[in-house]
Every structure is written in structure tokens, then in C-alpha cells.
Amino acid sequence: MEAAGQDTSEAAAKISYWNKRQDDFLQQTGFKRQQSREEIAGFTWKDQKAASEQEKTRLDMIASFRAKMSAAGYKTEGFDTYYGDQETLDHMVGAFERMSNLYPDEAKDVWIRWAYDKDVTKYGWYDPADGSIGFNQNAMGNWEDIRSQYADLVKKLESPKGTDADAIFYHEFGHRVWYARGGGSLKKSIDRVLFDMGFGRVRTNYRDELLGQELCTYAAERTRPSYQEAVAEAFAEWYNSTNPRRFCETFLKEVGIIS
């Protein structure tokens, strides 16, 4: 794998896991380990030592992440299967610590889960049933890739102007804030804001066009007719962009998230 330029962290974790299982088995049964039956051509004890050290580094990284998230008031689940880079976790912690300081009630005891969805374009989700936030291990893990992919979404106007990949975390927390305050349809709020901005009364097609223009196309195309994604994208722009636009500010004030 190293010769092919592949990431060996997951393989290292598997080696460590099976070694532990074997040690437990031998202790329970009293059997002796037969090293000759484990030999793999070209894989030496030095390779195994390196793999074990790599796995220890990974576990230490996850333990540090969990401790920081716990200190900020969150609960975490599933991160024992995290094989991504340190930078992704650092950005996640930074965003959620900030939200915990600004929205302590909404952040308290929220589950942040590392889970799986086959859709590789789906970074995360909010579950209104239990108030948890999930992130897709099939789409995340290497921050440089995430940053580049998200930048393309901004260029295509699919994500809010002026935001970067940290907006992924603010977006999901925006859902949390909105649902914690009652949730509900946002169509009338959007229409009022567009009207106050001088666009007059709008029909569905025109509303979507304006929402895509003033916020992003993702907010316009998803969860119609209740437009739940609009509040999450506006929330992400407000806390992630250095220059939030007029619609974003006016809309968040309209729905009572900012004053």
C-alpha cells in the first residue's frame, strides 16, 4: 500500500485490532501463539511495529478530539472508526466550540456522530427525531479534499457566497438551532424578506430563482415547499462569511435567530 501511495491508516488499525483479538483469545484458551503461521512474505516485525505506532497516533488523536468536544458540552459517537486527518477534526472542534459559546442551550448534550451514507456528496445531516448531527465518513476525512470540493460548490452557487468548508459544520448546527426553537415552514418568512427587499410578492419559480441568487441554489432546491435548508445555509453564511449578504442577515432576524 505504501509503495502504491495509498493511505495505510485503516490497514494499520485492522492489524492492531486483530492482534488484540488474538491476544484475548490466547489468554482465554491457554493456547500458545504460533508465529510461523502468521508470517506474510515481505511484511516484517518492523512493518508491524510501524503499523502499531500509527494506530496509537490515530487513537490519541481521537481521544483528544473527544475530550475537546466533551468539554464543549457535546457527546460523540462512532469516531473510533475515523481514519481521516487531524485537520478535519481540528476544524470540526473549532466550529462546534464556537457554537457552544454562542448557543450553549442548543449545544448541550447534542450527539455528534461519525456515520456512513453511500452518497459521497452528502457531508452531513441533522436528525430532528433525536436532535443529533451526523457526518458522512464516505464523504469526509481529508481536509484538503473537502476544502477543494466545497470551493467548487461555492463557484457553482450551490453553497453561499463567501463561505468555506467550515460552513459544513455551521450548516448542520443551524438546523439544530432552528428545530430547537420550534422549527416549521420557512416559506412565508422567505417571502416576507424578499418583499421587504423590494422584490414584491413572488410565486414559487421566482422565489426559487431569487433564493438561489440571494443565498444559494441548494437552499432553493432542497426541502421545498418548507425550505428547511434555507435557514441552515443562511446560518452558515452568517457565521462563516466575512461579509454576510443582506438577505442572510434579514432572514435570520426575521426567524428570530439573531437580533
Side-chain angles (χ1 to χ4, degrees):
M1 291 179 72
E2 286 179 348
Q6 297 179 16
D7 181 9
T8 61
S9 57
E10 186 169 356
K14 288 181 179 179
I15 291 170
S16 179
Y17 171 72
W18 283 107
N19 274 331
K20 185 178 185 305
R21 283 199 62 182
Q22 181 174 244
D23 289 343
D24 291 343
F25 175 76
L26 294 176
Q27 186 176 3
Q28 292 172 24
T29 61
F31 292 159
K32 293 183 178 180
R33 188 167 184 173
Q34 299 181 44
Q35 300 281 1
S36 61
R37 300 189 63 182
E38 303 173 27
E39 292 179 359
I40 300 173
F43 191 81
T44 68
W45 67 269
K46 290 183 179 180
D47 296 316
Q48 181 166 323
K49 181 180 178 183
S52 297
E53 290 174 351
Q54 189 173 5
E55 173 64 358
K56 182 179 184 304
T57 299
R58 186 186 77 90
L59 294 176
D60 288 346
M61 175 181 71
I62 294 170
S64 175
F65 165 78
R66 283 175 167 157
K68 291 176 182 177
M69 292 292 281
S70 178
Y74 302 96
K75 298 178 180 179
T76 56
E77 183 178 71
F79 285 89
D80 54 323
T81 61
Y82 179 83
Y83 298 102
D85 61 6
Q86 176 77 57
E87 194 171 3
T88 300
L89 294 183
D90 288 345
H91 280 267
M92 190 182 298
V93 167
F96 282 111
E97 282 180 337
R98 183 184 178 196
M99 291 295 94
S100 178
N101 290 330
L102 294 173
Y103 297 93
D105 292 339
E106 289 82 353
K108 184 176 174 56
D109 293 332
V110 170
W111 282 98
I112 308 297
R113 294 190 167 101
W114 186 248
Y116 177 84
D117 191 287
K118 65 181 180 180
D119 184 355
V120 295
T121 66
K122 186 177 184 179
Y123 292 117
W125 54 84
Y126 176 75
D127 187 348
D130 63 2
S132 66
I133 294 172
F135 291 105
N136 186 9
Q137 61 182 274
N138 198 31
M140 302 185 68
N142 180 284
W143 188 252
E144 184 58 30
D145 289 342
I146 298 168
R147 187 196 63 77
S148 177
Q149 292 162 6
Y150 188 87
D152 287 339
L153 296 177
V154 174
K155 288 180 182 178
K156 296 175 184 177
L157 304 180
E158 293 179 27
S159 292
K161 182 180 178 181
T163 62
D164 59 32
D166 283 329
I168 294 168
F169 308 123
Y170 294 118
H171 173 104
E172 301 306 339
F173 196 84
H175 280 305
R176 168 64 183 167
V177 171
W178 178 239
Y179 276 99
R181 300 185 180 190
S185 175
L186 292 156
K187 183 175 72 172
K188 291 183 179 179
S189 296
I190 291 170
D191 287 351
R192 281 194 294 269
V193 172
L194 291 174
F195 183 84
D196 291 343
M197 290 177 66
F199 292 109
R201 301 192 181 280
V202 298
R203 294 182 180 275
T204 300
N205 290 341
Y206 190 38
R207 179 193 304 114
D208 290 351
E209 180 182 340
L210 290 173
L211 194 55
Q213 171 186 307
E214 301 296 322
L215 187 57
C216 64
T217 58
Y218 182 83
E221 296 169 357
R222 300 297 180 100
T223 62
R224 188 191 302 150
S226 58
Y227 296 95
Q228 296 293 334
E229 296 300 335
V231 73
E233 292 287 56
F235 191 91
E237 180 175 335
W238 181 253
Y239 286 106
N240 183 238
S241 172
T242 57
N243 188 28
R245 291 168 291 175
R246 180 185 173 192
F247 176 87
C248 171
E249 180 177 7
T250 308
F251 179 54
L252 290 179
K253 287 181 177 178
E254 169 69 26
V255 299
I257 289 181
I258 63 174
S259 55

